[in-house]
């Protein structure tokens, strides 16, 4: 395993000899001597270390980005799209290596690692088409011989703060769109997954170099919360796109709002699937289990709650228990396994604490949890996916735990089920499993799900890039990826052109000299 990972690091341009990696000016690590150490949750081994950006490093990166923006914004949008197209091709060439590193550094299954890189490729394809479709509107003026229209201009520097659970995909959502819109980017990845970020920086930096584009369009700064605070409080960065916990998002939103900047927040989820009496239970089982245990329950769209009709509750619970008994937990690079590790031992402690709190509130575990030990689980990060029967108003159920803990709740009527689904602080993803058209339409109506994502007969997890991704309430209200999410990265300008030989005023106001 070590030899394979070393060769993958080498292919991605990361020199990990002696477990050290010295970053260069592209990501701001020249002046500081502090380092981040990246340990794999797969086997607990140190993969490599990387220098952290100092405040001086950070300031130099921002200055370079400002200079790069003055040139990049003048490049025609379709030309910017061509650069993003080449980045997508470079990702295709590196998909296996980058996907494997994602799996090893973060702990998600190899298939999910490959899927994450494919998501990056897909958003590049989307952005290429978008580069010729940054449309504004033309409006009729009330004044004769006048034309009104609106156009969109880039903001400047887009600051991107990403989380460990999708260490590369969410960055690409922001970067691909920000670039075709004419912005430049500064990325602070999670301190838990710095190596995948360095790999991405290497790949995109080569694309810019091959096209004779000066450094500074895409930038990487490694560091902890202090670096993130420098970004969020920096008036030179008009937009901060941040992905993470609700607690973190509230701090970012307050800091950016205090300087009247813009924030795009993708925060926590507490996602539920309603299992109707009219559901296809076998199909529902696949969506529920993958949603609950995929990425070891560490997706913002992971299924946390199943709201099951009382008439099928026992039958569906029996199916769940049987399915959980068949889950294979282990090395995520082994494609025979279903579930990999949690990101680190802190996440394991949070998992155990949540189980204890659930039991204290009266939760009944139909599938017990616990930490796995033995030669295959030396990192201490492998846990058992578990299932508990609960009440929706339990404090622990209202809280998002980033772990494979699934809560079962019984309901009688669809109105009750929707009310339960909505009765949490978060509002990201939701789903109903039903073959009843009226139930499906009610769930999607204004009196249905209050989430940013609402699905019928698919689970809560696994969004496509074509639609805008994001949620309401404590999920932050941001929208990334597809649809018209590009507007978040631009400023709107209304223009009026007078081509007459007089100057009439709006609203019929007279002002004669």
């Amino acid at each position: 395993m070590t030899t394979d990972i070393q060769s993958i690091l080498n292919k991605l341009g990361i020199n990990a000899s002696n477990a050290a990696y010295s970053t260069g000016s592209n990501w701001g690590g020249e002046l500081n001597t502090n380092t981040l150490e990246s340990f794999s949750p797969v086997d607990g081994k140190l993969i490599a270390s990387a220098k952290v950006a100092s405040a001086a490093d950070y300031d130099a990166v921002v200055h370079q980005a400002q200079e790069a923006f003055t040139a990049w914004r003048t490049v025609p949008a379709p030309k910017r799209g061509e650069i993003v197209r080449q980045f997508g091709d470079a990702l295709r060439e590196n998909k296996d290596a980058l996907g494997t590193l994602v799996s090893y550094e973060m702990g998600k299954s190899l298939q999910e690692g490959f899927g994450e890189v494919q998501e990056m490729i897909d958003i590049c394809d989307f952005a290429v088409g978008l580069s010729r479709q940054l449309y504004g509107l033309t409006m009729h003026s009330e004044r004769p011989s006048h034309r009104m229209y609106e156009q969109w201009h880039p903001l400047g520097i887009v600051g991107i703060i990403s989380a460990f659970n999708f260490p590369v995909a969410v960055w690409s959502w922001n970067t691909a769109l920000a670039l075709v819109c004419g912005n430049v980017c500064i990325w602070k990845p999670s301190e838990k997954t710095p190596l995948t970020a360095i790999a991405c920086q290497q790949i995109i930096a080569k694309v810019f170099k091959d096209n004779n584009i000066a450094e500074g369009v895409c930038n990487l700064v490694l560091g902890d919360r202090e670096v993130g605070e420098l970004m969020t409080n920096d008036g030179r960065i008009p937009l901060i796109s941040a992905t993470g916990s609700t607690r973190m998002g509230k701090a970012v939103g307050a800091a950016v709002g205090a300087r009247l900047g813009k924030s795009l927040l993708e925060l926590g989820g507490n996602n539920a699937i309603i299992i109707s009496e009219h559901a296809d239970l076998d199909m529902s089982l696949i969506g529920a289990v993958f949603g609950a245990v995929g990425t070891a329950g560490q997706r913002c769209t992971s299924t946390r709650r199943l709201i099951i009709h009382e008439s099928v509750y026992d039958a569906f619970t029996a199916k769940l228990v049987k399915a959980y008994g068949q889950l294979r937990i282990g090395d995520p690079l082994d494609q025979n396994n279903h579930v990999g590790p949690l990101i680190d031992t802190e996440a394991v402690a949070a998992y155990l604490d949540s189980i204890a709190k659930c039991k204290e509130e009266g939760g009944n575990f139909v599938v017990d949890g616990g930490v796995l030990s033995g030669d295959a689980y030396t990192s201490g990060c492998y846990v058992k996916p578990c299932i508990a029967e609960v009440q929706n108003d339990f404090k622990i159920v209202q809280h998002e735990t980033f772990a494979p803990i699934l809560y079962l709740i019984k309901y009688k009527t669809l109105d009750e089920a929707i009310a339960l689904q909505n009765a949490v602080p978060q509002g990201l993803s939701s789903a109903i499993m039903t073959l009843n058209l009226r139930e499906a339409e009610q769930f999607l109506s204004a009196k249905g799900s209050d989430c940013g994502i609402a699905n019928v007969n698919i689970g809560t997890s696994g969004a496509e890039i074509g639609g805008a991704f994001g949620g309401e309430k404590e999920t932050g209200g941001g929208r990334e990826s597809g649809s018209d999410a590009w507007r978040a990265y631009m400023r709107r300008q209304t223009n009026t052109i007078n081509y007459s030989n007089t100057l009439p005023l709006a609203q019929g106001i007279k002002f004669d000299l």
Side-chain angles (χ1 to χ4, degrees):
M1 184 66 67
T2 302
T3 302
D4 291 339
I5 293 300
Q6 295 307 311
S7 64
I8 286 167
L9 292 176
N10 290 337
K11 182 176 181 180
L12 293 170
I14 299 175
N15 176 14
S17 61
N18 299 318
Y21 186 83
S22 177
T23 59
S25 60
N26 281 341
W27 39 80
E30 290 296 299
L31 305 179
N32 203 349
T33 58
N34 295 333
T35 60
L36 286 175
E37 293 183 322
S38 178
F39 292 89
S40 171
V42 176
D43 53 22
K45 294 180 179 178
L46 176 66
I47 311 172
S49 59
K51 284 187 178 180
V52 173
S54 66
D57 289 323
Y58 167 79
D59 192 66
V61 168
V62 174
H63 181 71
Q64 182 174 254
Q66 286 180 304
E67 290 189 343
F69 174 61
T70 61
W72 182 248
R73 66 185 175 184
T74 66
V75 176
K79 298 293 186 182
R80 299 193 296 254
E82 167 59 19
I83 300 299
V84 174
R85 185 196 67 77
Q86 293 179 35
F87 177 47
D89 284 347
L91 289 170
R92 286 178 172 89
E93 295 172 4
N94 289 278
K95 179 178 178 179
D96 287 353
L98 183 56
T100 302
L101 182 57
V102 167
S103 179
Y104 187 64
E105 186 175 36
M106 184 267 149
K108 63 176 58 178
S109 74
L110 188 59
Q111 281 299 312
E112 290 180 86
F114 292 153
E116 186 165 346
V117 181
Q118 184 60 50
E119 199 165 346
M120 300 174 75
I121 295 167
D122 292 343
I123 197 64
C124 286
D125 288 349
F126 180 90
V128 173
L130 178 64
S131 68
R132 295 180 182 271
Q133 301 178 74
L134 299 174
Y135 298 135
L137 299 174
T138 298
M139 290 78 73
H140 288 280
S141 172
E142 66 185 53
R143 291 167 284 185
S145 301
H146 283 60
R147 180 166 68 91
M148 293 178 62
Y149 68 97
E150 66 182 24
Q151 58 183 327
W152 296 81
H153 295 302
L155 292 170
I157 301 174
V158 173
I160 304 166
I161 300 173
S162 62
F164 74 86
N165 59 331
F166 280 85
V168 294
V170 174
W171 165 74
S172 72
W173 291 358
N174 286 275
T175 298
L177 298 194
L179 290 180
V180 297
C181 289
N183 301 290
V184 299
C185 302
I186 297 176
W187 179 22
K188 192 207 88 66
S190 169
E191 57 268 34
K192 298 180 181 182
T193 52
L195 302 182
T196 50
I198 292 173
C200 290
Q201 179 69 18
Q202 296 278 56
I203 293 169
I204 200 166
K206 184 178 185 303
V207 172
F208 283 118
K209 184 177 180 181
D210 291 345
N211 285 273
N212 296 313
I213 296 172
E215 291 184 358
V217 176
C218 271
N219 307 275
L220 177 65
V221 287
L222 300 180
D224 53 18
R225 187 174 66 182
E226 292 180 1
V227 175
E229 289 175 349
L230 288 173
M231 292 176 66
T232 56
N233 289 289
D234 194 335
R236 296 171 294 181
I237 303 180
L239 173 65
I240 295 290
S241 177
T243 303
S245 68
T246 297
R247 177 192 56 77
M248 179 275 288
K250 288 180 177 179
V252 170
V256 177
R259 60 179 175 85
L260 298 182
K262 297 181 179 181
S263 58
L264 196 168
L265 302 175
E266 295 289 357
L267 311 175
N270 195 342
N271 316 295
I273 301 177
I274 297 173
I275 309 293
S276 164
E277 60 185 314
H278 304 293
D280 179 328
L281 296 187
D282 290 334
M283 184 173 69
S284 301
L285 183 68
I286 297 171
V289 175
F290 176 75
V293 308
T295 323
Q298 297 173 113
R299 293 185 177 211
C300 52
T301 55
S302 289
T303 304
R304 308 287 175 202
R305 298 173 294 144
L306 291 184
I307 303 170
I308 309 170
H309 192 271
E310 60 183 5
S311 66
V312 296
Y313 184 89
D314 290 341
F316 195 71
T317 299
K319 287 178 176 289
L320 281 170
V321 172
K322 181 179 179 181
Y324 269 54
Q326 297 171 344
L327 291 175
R328 293 184 294 273
I329 307 167
D331 185 345
L333 298 179
D334 181 347
Q335 297 193 57
N336 291 316
N337 291 326
H338 297 109
V339 185
L342 293 177
I343 185 65
D344 55 25
T345 54
E346 289 183 4
V348 173
Y351 158 86
L352 292 173
D353 181 62
S354 295
I355 290 175
K357 288 179 178 177
C358 183
K359 290 179 178 179
E360 289 173 5
E361 291 192 78
N364 173 45
F365 279 81
V366 296
V367 175
D368 289 326
V371 181
L372 296 171
S373 59
D375 292 342
Y377 309 114
T378 54
S379 69
C381 297
Y382 292 87
V383 301
K384 298 176 184 177
C386 56
I387 304 174
E389 296 176 310
V390 300
Q391 298 298 316
N392 197 65
D393 59 359
F394 283 6
K395 289 183 179 179
I396 192 60
V397 176
Q398 294 286 309
H399 171 76
E400 180 194 34
T401 301
F402 241 44
I405 304 174
L406 181 63
Y407 300 119
L408 306 186
I409 303 159
K410 192 180 295 186
Y411 81 92
K412 293 182 179 180
T413 68
L414 182 59
D415 286 343
E416 178 192 4
I418 292 173
L420 289 168
Q421 137 70 37
N422 293 342
V424 292
Q426 309 85 357
L428 179 52
S429 187
S430 59
I432 186 171
M433 297 293 187
T434 182
L435 302 179
N436 184 301
L437 179 61
R438 288 178 176 174
E439 287 190 330
E441 289 294 340
Q442 180 177 341
F443 182 72
L444 300 177
S445 74
K447 64 176 184 178
S449 170
D450 66 358
C451 294
I453 299 170
N455 299 324
V456 176
N457 291 328
I458 63 172
T460 62
S461 188
E464 298 181 30
I465 60 93
F469 180 90
E472 301 302 322
K473 301 189 294 188
E474 288 194 357
T475 302
R479 292 298 185 273
E480 295 174 323
S481 192
S483 185
D484 65 349
W486 61 271
R487 293 170 184 252
Y489 305 90
M490 304 195 83
R491 59 181 176 88
R492 187 196 308 248
Q493 184 181 81
T494 300
N495 307 114
T496 305
I497 299 174
N498 176 6
Y499 56 93
S500 74
N501 57 4
T502 62
L503 186 61
L505 301 177
Q507 293 83 47
I509 295 173
K510 301 296 183 180
F511 188 78
D512 297 325
L513 295 176

